[in-house]
Amino acid sequence: MPDLAPARPGPGGPGAAPGTDSDAARLADLGYTQELSRSLGILGNIAMGFAVVSPVVALYAVSMVGTMIAGPAWIWALPIVLLGQCLVVNVYSELASQWPLAGGPYQWGRRLLGPSFGWMSGWVWQFAVMFGNTTVAYLAAPWAFALVGATPTPGSLVAVAAGILLACMLVNAYGIRILSWFVSLGIAAEAIASVLVGFALLLFFREHGFSLFTETLGAEELSGGSTVVAFLAVLAVAGWGFIGFDACVSTAEETKDAGRQVPRAMWWALLSVGLVVILNAMAVALAHPAPQSVVAGEDLDPVTTAVTTAFGSWSDKPFVAVVLVGFLACAMASQGGAARGVYSLARDGVFPFSRQVRKVNSRQAPIGGLVASTLVSCTGLLLGLNATAIGSLIAFGTAATFLPFFLVSLAALIARLRGTWVPSGHIRLGRKGTFLNVLAVLWTAFEVANVCWPRAVLAPPGAPWYQIWAGLLGTGVVITAGLLYLVVKKPQNALRAAQAREESAPGDRAGEDARADRAEGGPADVLAADTP
């Protein structure tokens, strides 16, 4: 984990007057009023990140696809992706420590490289989260059918997934406290379905030795016989397993002492989920009675097969129920994060229909953002109407998410090298931070290209072309729409004007703080700048 350093005293910080709400004061320093309910502690923030990264969703969604592509050896992709994501969390930690705001990539990008880049980063990130919700809901739908013993059609999968998104919206509309209760229930389900079951399978029900993880069982034939090509595809799929830690940032304005606690929560969420996912991937592979059947595409649910073989047929329905609860908790937390990102853009008036989208209901929930994000996520489900689309939707959701990881890491690196951003929050990594930032840019650039690469192996036989090109198509549409909005509506002008008013207001606390940052060579002078 990163080193912790004391923050520079300032308004709302260590030097705040007794009785002052330091979190609200810090938010005011950054130009906003406290509209959301700040009621989460560190454990609540960790829970949000844990639920979105989710061991259940991470592993049970990709284990079948990974094994079909590269055999049992696919699990070696997991620690590689986990290490790569740790590089991203290093960058995010410094940024969240200094600017603990909802809509992190948008807020950080405009302070690092200017309004145009910041707005585009926020636009891409926002749609990435909403498309991620699409994928989670679609992946949850088969478990709902399994619970009642029904066989789904592509259309019914889409319909149930849409119902899941609507139900999650209703839960989120009741506010952060109700959401945190449901998330806690999901984490309890995660503990049963992941930790307890995983350890039991690994310790008492192994069918194979650890040498199994050196075998592909001929799975590379799907990739033209190349193990390298197969492993690259697995790295793309495994990327889905370690995204979502930025949900901790989404609820930063509802977390107490957010500048300190959000970075810690991101580390706890990512590392705890990462270790559980690797544990369970090993346990399922070693306990599965016939891994070759998974490689051959005969067993489309290797996790349930391993569990029911080990514990008996009686465990089928209870296990499915627990897994479904985990998926629902992930969908609720992810949708909550998406809504708060939309809210962050809309309150600055730089999102379509901002006046409606920025609305907060009586329970201090971003109801406008919830409706908007749910509509977009439901639209993404259309990708799965003509054929089963698990592999394509994983690629779709993963590609959309890694792009903002790359944009944020790139913006931080450019600002560091220019000398226009020197981290001044609680976390400051110095030269080590610059080195890790370089590695984060290289890792995310590689993964964006790798995930977007069109692969027929991730789509069912005979799938339509748009499922094969799902990753590139999704990111291309989002970027094109964002550029058109940037050119036509010019949201960057509104951001420049708002910043100019903020800095010129006499006696304004935010303006004074910005001028102090400029005098110290800090980031405030970058906020008013723009990058073509």
Side-chain angles (χ1 to χ4, degrees):
M1 293 189 183
D3 299 326
L4 299 178
R8 175 173 59 85
T20 299
D21 184 341
S22 59
D23 287 310
R26 177 56 179 153
L27 194 59
D29 291 343
L30 296 171
Y32 301 105
T33 57
Q34 185 74 53
E35 293 184 300
L36 304 178
S37 174
R38 195 176 291 273
S39 56
L40 290 180
I42 177 63
L43 293 180
N45 193 270
I46 291 173
M48 293 296 294
F50 188 95
V52 176
V53 186
S54 179
V56 164
V57 177
L59 177 64
Y60 298 359
V62 302
S63 61
M64 179 270 290
V65 179
T67 305
M68 286 184 64
I69 295 173
W74 85 275
I75 71 161
W76 294 108
L78 294 175
I80 293 175
V81 175
L82 178 58
L83 288 174
Q85 292 302 87
C86 285
L87 297 171
V88 179
V89 174
N90 269 301
V91 178
Y92 271 53
S93 293
E94 287 187 295
L95 292 167
S97 173
Q98 185 166 343
W99 298 302
L101 294 165
Y106 157 66
Q107 297 287 357
W108 303 335
R110 72 186 186 94
R111 286 167 167 79
L112 292 168
L113 291 186
S116 293
F117 186 92
W119 183 88
M120 194 66 188
S121 295
W123 176 268
V124 171
W125 173 76
Q126 189 53 59
F127 279 89
V129 179
M130 291 187 288
F131 288 156
N133 297 346
T134 299
T135 307
V136 173
Y138 188 84
L139 294 174
W143 294 94
F145 283 96
L147 187 62
V148 298
T151 301
T153 63
S156 62
L157 281 173
V158 169
V160 170
I164 289 172
L165 289 171
L166 291 173
C168 291
M169 181 186 74
L170 293 176
V171 172
N172 271 281
Y174 276 88
I176 192 67
R177 285 188 178 275
I178 301 298
L179 174 59
S180 65
W181 292 345
F182 276 91
V183 167
S184 297
L185 178 63
I187 291 177
E190 298 270 10
I192 297 171
S194 297
V195 181
L196 294 181
V197 171
F199 272 115
L201 292 178
L202 194 61
L203 296 176
F204 305 113
F205 298 104
R206 287 204 309 269
E207 297 282 343
H208 313 279
F210 288 94
S211 61
L212 181 69
F213 298 130
T214 64
E215 301 179 25
T216 62
L217 303 180
E220 68 274 10
E221 294 304 317
L222 286 176
S223 303
S226 171
T227 54
V228 173
V229 172
F231 195 71
L232 287 174
V234 170
L235 283 175
V237 171
W240 171 256
F242 302 108
I243 59 179
F245 56 83
D246 49 338
C248 300
V249 178
S250 298
T251 52
E253 293 179 30
E254 293 154 285
T255 302
K256 301 171 185 176
D257 194 15
R260 290 183 183 274
Q261 306 303 356
V262 169
R264 292 171 177 166
M266 284 192 290
W267 277 109
W268 277 106
L270 178 64
L271 293 179
S272 58
V273 170
L275 294 176
V276 172
V277 167
I278 293 172
L279 164 73
N280 278 277
M282 296 174 61
V284 167
L286 294 176
H288 196 284
Q292 185 63 54
S293 66
V294 185
V295 173
E298 298 168 358
D299 183 358
L300 301 181
D301 187 5
V303 179
T304 302
T305 299
V307 171
T308 56
T309 300
F311 296 99
S313 58
W314 67 268
S315 61
D316 184 13
K317 296 299 183 184
F319 180 71
V320 168
V322 169
V323 171
L324 181 59
V325 170
F327 266 95
L328 293 177
C330 174
M332 289 175 192
S334 181
Q335 192 180 61
R340 283 152 179 80
V342 173
Y343 162 81
S344 181
L345 284 159
R347 69 178 168 185
D348 284 347
V350 293
F351 194 81
F353 307 104
S354 289
R355 182 175 298 178
Q356 291 76 27
V357 172
R358 70 148 294 156
K359 289 182 178 178
V360 176
N361 66 13
S362 60
R363 295 179 179 271
Q364 293 182 282
I367 188 64
L370 284 170
V371 173
S373 62
T374 301
L375 288 174
V376 173
S377 298
C378 286
T379 301
L381 287 171
L382 297 177
L383 187 67
L385 277 176
N386 290 339
T388 54
I390 290 179
S392 299
L393 275 170
I394 289 173
F396 185 48
T398 307
T401 305
F402 268 91
L403 183 57
F405 287 160
F406 168 70
L407 292 176
V408 169
S409 299
L410 180 65
L413 180 60
I414 292 174
R416 285 182 199 269
L417 296 180
R418 284 179 176 176
T420 51
W421 176 54
V422 178
S424 60
H426 297 290
I427 298 176
R428 311 172 196 172
L429 300 178
R431 292 182 178 178
K432 181 176 68 173
T434 302
F435 174 71
L436 293 173
N437 201 157
V438 171
L439 295 181
V441 169
L442 295 175
W443 159 248
T444 52
F446 161 76
E447 194 69 344
V448 167
N450 188 37
V451 175
C452 286
W453 194 266
R455 292 181 172 94
V457 71
L458 294 180
W465 67 271
Y466 57 81
Q467 285 191 8
I468 297 173
W469 290 75
L472 191 59
L473 180 64
T475 54
V477 169
V478 170
I479 291 173
T480 301
L483 289 174
L484 288 174
Y485 192 85
L486 200 65
V487 170
V488 175
K489 293 295 186 179
K490 303 186 186 308
Q492 67 275 27
N493 290 346
L495 293 177
R496 289 196 196 97
Q499 180 60 22
R501 288 194 302 270
E502 180 180 294
E503 293 190 6
S504 63
D508 179 72
R509 179 169 52 193
E512 291 170 0
D513 195 53
R515 286 187 288 274
D517 276 342
R518 178 177 289 111
E520 295 178 17
D525 54 334
V526 188
L527 180 55
D530 200 4
T531 300

